[in-house]
Amino acid sequence: MRITVDRDRCEGHGVCETAAPELFLIDDEGDLVFHFEGREIPEEQRAPATNSVLTCPVAALKLEG
C-alpha cells in the first residue's frame, strides 16, 4: 500500500498528521511532509494511513495498492 499526495489540493489542515503522526507532518510553513513519499506504508501504519486518506477534508491523499 502506498499513498500519493496531490500537493495542489493540500491546504495544510493537518488532519492527516492527527490521524497518522508517524507518517505526516505539517511543517512551520504549513506544508505537508510525508515521510513515506514513494515508499510502501509499513503494515503497522496501514490503519492510520487509511484513516488519514478517508478524513482528508480536501481529498488530497489517495491510496494505491
Side-chain angles (χ1 to χ4, degrees), residues 14 29 36 51 55 60:
E29 287 79 40
F36 285 86
N51 190 39
T55 59

Side-chain angles (χ1 to χ4, degrees), residues 1-56:
M1 165 200 278
R2 293 177 187 229
I3 294 177
T4 58
V5 179
D6 183 340
R7 296 196 181 273
D8 291 331
R9 287 188 87 126
C10 181
E11 296 177 354
H13 293 282
V15 176
C16 58
E17 181 180 17
T18 300
E22 296 81 9
L23 303 177
F24 301 99
L25 170 72
I26 301 298
D27 68 15
D28 293 338
E29 287 79 40
D31 295 323
L32 177 64
V33 177
F34 177 41
H35 301 297
F36 285 86
E37 192 93 38
R39 299 184 322 183
E40 289 286 318
I41 303 296
E43 183 68 37
E44 66 274 8
Q45 292 300 321
R46 290 186 178 185
T50 300
N51 190 39
S52 67
V53 171
L54 295 174
T55 59
C56 179

